[in-house]
């Protein structure tokens, strides 16, 4: 859908990805860059979801996908530079711009060039990162390839990430690396989702649905399956939990609700099917956890649960 919104609008299009691209999609764009290295950051370098109630404390480490994103940024902008493009726009695949907002984006590029600026960043005026710092959005930004690469070399490995060093989030990292040059940028002081208000922006990042088996600090032999619906949409998710293919529990979870249960190491498989409908036709998430003791190390890496 992101590509379809851009085809035929005067842009040369490039996909940078860690997943194979279907030929029907590849045929719509000018370039496809596939990177088989999809190494994630280790858990201790990633942001985490946490929840504390009167009964328990929970921590779940979210995927460290910021390093693969940096590889996509690097691959795409280096290729754009080598092909002698003057300007680039980087956007994540969950941005679907309307024709009206594409015109607005083009006007920002025109203004950037007319005022001899080098980058366009969205810098939400009231938003602060986890440490109170300002940020530059990274799901959509624009600029001049050679300038970008002259000021910042995106990390390609975990060692690069640590040695730079990068911040706790990619948005914070971009601010730390680039803000010293802000006089050279066209700054839009709001979220891109607010500015492009006739579009669908950041579709997969507004909130989160957690479905993880985590380490039980009180009873290590009984890991905790934890579900939490932190998505913004009000429509519920339908939960079906199977033990060795037998349905043992089902729930309806609305925004803001959570649920947890302990399971023992008995060699069984715990499958969690999450759908958008009661008929199980629209699958939202499908995960299976194998309850073997050797998997407890994976559960520890994913998160922890402790009763108070």
């Amino acid at each position: 859908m992101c590509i379809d919104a851009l085809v035929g609008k005067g842009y040369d299009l490039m996909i940078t990805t860690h997943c194979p691209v279907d030929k029907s999609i590849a045929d719509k764009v000018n370039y496809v860059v596939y990177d088989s290295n999809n190494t994630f950051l280790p858990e201790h370098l990633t942001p985490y979801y946490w929840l504390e109630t009167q009964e328990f404390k929970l921590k779940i480490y979210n995927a460290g996908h910021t390093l693969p994103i940096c590889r996509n940024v690097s691959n795409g902008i280096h290729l754009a530079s080598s092909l002698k493009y003057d300007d680039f726009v980087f956007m994540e695949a969950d941005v679907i711009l309307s024709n009206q907002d594409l015109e607005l984006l083009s006007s920002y590029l025109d203004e950037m060039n007319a005022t001899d600026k080098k980058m366009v960043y969205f810098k939400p005026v009231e938003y602060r990162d986890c440490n109170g710092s300002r940020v530059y959005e990274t799901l959509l930004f624009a600029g001049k390839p050679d300038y970008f690469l002259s000021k910042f070399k995106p990390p390609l490995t975990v060692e690069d990430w640590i040695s730079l060093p990068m911040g706790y989030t990619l948005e914070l990292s971009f601010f730390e690396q680039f803000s010293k040059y802000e006089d050279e940028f066209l700054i839009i002081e709001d979220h891109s989702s607010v500015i492009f208000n006739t579009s669908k922006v950041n579709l997969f990042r507004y909130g989160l649905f957690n479905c993880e088996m985590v380490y039980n600090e009180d009873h290590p032999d009984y890991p905790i399956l934890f579900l939490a619906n932190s998505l913004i949409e009000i429509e519920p998710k339908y939960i079906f939990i199977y033990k060795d293919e037998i349905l043992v529990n089902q729930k309806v979870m609305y925004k803001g609700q959570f649920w947890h249960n302990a399971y023992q190491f008995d060699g069984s498989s715990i499958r969690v099917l999450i759908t958008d409908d009661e008929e199980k036709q629209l699958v939202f998430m499908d995960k299976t956890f194998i309850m073997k003791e050797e998997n407890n190390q994976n559960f520890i890496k994913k998160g922890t649960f402790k009763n108070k």
Side-chain angles (χ1 to χ4, degrees):
M1 293 177 68
C2 175
I3 295 298
D4 289 339
L6 300 171
V7 170
K9 304 297 170 54
Y11 293 95
D12 285 355
L13 302 178
M14 178 193 305
I15 297 174
T16 58
T17 178
H18 299 280
C19 299
V21 175
D22 189 85
K23 187 176 185 300
S24 64
I25 298 176
D27 286 344
K28 297 178 181 181
V29 304
N30 302 85
Y31 313 97
V32 176
V33 181
Y34 169 71
D35 184 354
S36 64
N37 186 334
N38 196 30
T39 302
F40 277 28
L41 289 172
E43 291 80 3
H44 69 279
L45 295 177
T46 67
Y48 58 85
Y49 169 91
W50 64 271
L51 179 64
E52 184 169 349
T53 72
Q54 293 181 340
E55 290 79 31
F56 66 84
K57 293 194 298 184
L58 169 92
K59 181 185 293 186
I60 294 177
Y61 291 103
N62 296 315
H65 59 277
T66 48
L67 182 57
I69 292 174
C70 283
R71 293 182 66 92
N72 280 340
V73 170
S74 178
N75 291 340
I77 296 179
H78 271 98
L79 180 57
S81 174
S82 69
L83 293 171
K84 308 300 182 184
Y85 281 95
D86 295 322
D87 302 329
F88 75 90
V89 177
F90 180 90
M91 67 175 68
E92 296 184 4
D94 59 347
V95 177
I96 305 171
L97 293 180
S98 67
N99 289 338
Q100 176 181 329
D101 287 333
L102 272 173
E103 291 181 5
L104 180 56
L105 176 60
S106 294
S107 75
Y108 289 145
L109 290 173
D110 291 342
E111 183 178 351
M112 177 189 75
N113 286 310
T115 56
D116 198 29
K117 301 295 185 181
K118 307 301 182 185
M119 298 291 300
V120 178
Y121 278 121
F122 293 88
K123 178 187 176 185
V125 66
E126 295 182 354
Y127 181 80
R128 298 293 186 276
D129 209 288
C130 51
N131 68 349
S133 174
R134 301 293 297 273
V135 300
Y136 291 151
E137 278 193 11
T138 56
L139 88 159
L140 196 161
F141 61 95
K144 299 189 171 298
D146 291 344
Y147 178 89
F148 180 94
L149 296 173
S150 72
K151 302 301 183 185
F152 175 56
K153 297 294 188 296
L156 303 181
T157 66
V158 175
E159 292 73 22
D160 289 346
W161 185 279
I162 295 171
S163 64
L164 268 172
M166 293 287 279
Y168 195 55
T169 66
L170 191 56
E171 293 79 9
L172 174 60
S173 297
F174 266 49
F175 184 82
E176 291 176 343
Q177 298 292 331
F178 281 104
S179 59
K180 62 178 72 73
Y181 312 113
E182 190 168 290
D183 288 345
E184 300 180 70
F185 304 159
L186 175 61
I187 297 295
I188 314 299
E189 293 196 327
D190 211 334
H191 292 281
S192 58
S193 58
V194 175
I195 297 297
F196 299 128
N197 56 23
T198 66
S199 301
K200 299 177 181 178
V201 178
N202 213 11
L203 285 176
F204 304 138
R205 300 291 296 281
Y206 283 127
L208 182 70
F209 195 104
N210 276 296
C211 173
E212 298 295 344
M213 193 74 70
V214 300
Y215 181 73
N216 187 340
E217 293 189 22
D218 302 299
H219 302 284
D221 292 337
Y222 286 82
I224 300 290
L225 174 63
F226 190 89
L227 306 177
N229 184 355
S230 303
L231 299 166
I232 64 165
E233 59 260 26
I234 61 174
E235 293 79 10
K237 298 300 180 188
Y238 298 87
I239 317 298
F240 305 91
I241 300 175
Y242 301 84
K243 183 174 182 179
D244 291 334
E245 301 183 2
I246 298 172
L247 182 64
V248 294
N249 209 328
Q250 62 185 84
K251 303 181 66 64
V252 179
M253 291 187 67
Y254 289 85
K255 174 184 175 181
Q257 293 184 325
F258 61 85
W259 178 87
H260 59 89
N261 191 38
Y263 294 89
Q264 62 180 321
F265 289 120
D266 57 6
S268 64
S269 65
I270 303 298
R271 180 191 177 199
V272 185
L273 176 65
I274 304 170
T275 67
D276 292 325
D277 62 321
E278 294 183 80
E279 295 75 28
K280 309 178 191 177
Q281 298 299 310
L282 301 173
V283 176
F284 174 76
M285 188 181 296
D286 192 349
K287 286 190 172 185
T288 298
F289 305 95
I290 305 302
M291 304 311 295
K292 293 184 178 180
E293 193 166 358
E294 56 263 33
N295 288 334
N296 215 11
Q297 290 303 311
N298 294 328
F299 301 154
I300 291 172
K301 290 179 179 179
K302 194 59 194 177
T304 57
F305 182 98
K306 182 175 179 58
N307 285 307
K308 290 186 175 179

